[in-house]
Amino acid sequence: MTEFKSRFNAAMKSFGRLLWRALKKIGKFFKMVFENKQAAAGMIIMFFFLFMLVVLTQALPYDATPDPYNLLAKPSWAHPFGTDELGRDLMRRLIAGSSSVLGIAFLTGLFTVTIGVVLGLISGLAGGITDKIIMTVTNLVMTVPTFPIMLVLAQVATITNVAVFSLILSALSWAGLCRAVRSQIISVKERDFIQICKVMNLRKTHIIFSELLPNILSYVVVNFIMIMRNAITASVGIMMLGVVAYDHTNWGAILNSSQAYIMNPNAIFFWLMPVLFIALFQAGVTLLANGLDVVLNPRLRKN
């Protein structure tokens, strides 16, 4: 029992030290982020949308029941953004839509970066026939027309799962990132510090995760954020084609349904608010991407 307690205490101390180091690194990262004005502004905007997703969707639940007595009502205390064409609260509808919109954006960024980085890393390191095969597939994906594929998918099935929807968007957008990562890996692996690692017979896992990937981290993070931005716009168009099930809380769907009432003076907030939400999200991810590019790239940070 005494030996078990000593081992347990030693394990807890080791865990505590690792946790403290991790917290220090996270704290240092956020300090660097908020020292950059662009990154700080982008981070604040993204925290706002995260707060909307986690807190407001629970605190302000959306009721999809039509209210014929409040069609296109003007903003009031009961309805701060007014109501839509069926009398539903517009603010709660926009908040409810944040779960699908941000979920699609995040998963698309995650899937695209994973596919692009893994294939680009393999292609750049392996070379030879492996490189040729991956680059052939990459070039093929980049030349395949997207619109006809979407029309065919719309005829075959209607997708209701957010993860599957995100995979479709990723399958159409990973190729460019793969080519860029491959080029950077080929450039970095010829540098002196990588050659020294090879001479020292260090493991490939050490070279990949400790030497190569940290050197392209800033590029990958920036691309992840920009892919999130592009996914919002792409998801709206794909939804209109009928490839995925129509979600009336999606910001793009709200904007699309408001076009029929754009000349109605009572419907100003109906089309204006989804535009502002989409524009704010786009501005937030762009500012964050530009700021992080400076924060994570030592050469830009020095300048």
Side-chain angles (χ1 to χ4, degrees), residues 143-161:
T143 56
V144 169
T146 303
F147 188 70
I149 293 177
M150 289 302 166
L151 289 178
V152 172
L153 283 175
Q155 299 300 317
V156 174
T158 300
I159 298 165
T160 58
N161 188 282

Side-chain angles (χ1 to χ4, degrees), residues 6 8 14-15 23 27 56 60-61 79 81 123 167 183 186 248:
S6 62
F8 178 78
S14 178
F15 174 75
L23 291 174
L56 294 185
L60 300 171
H79 307 289
F81 293 169
S123 181
L167 275 173
S183 299
I186 290 174
H248 73 281

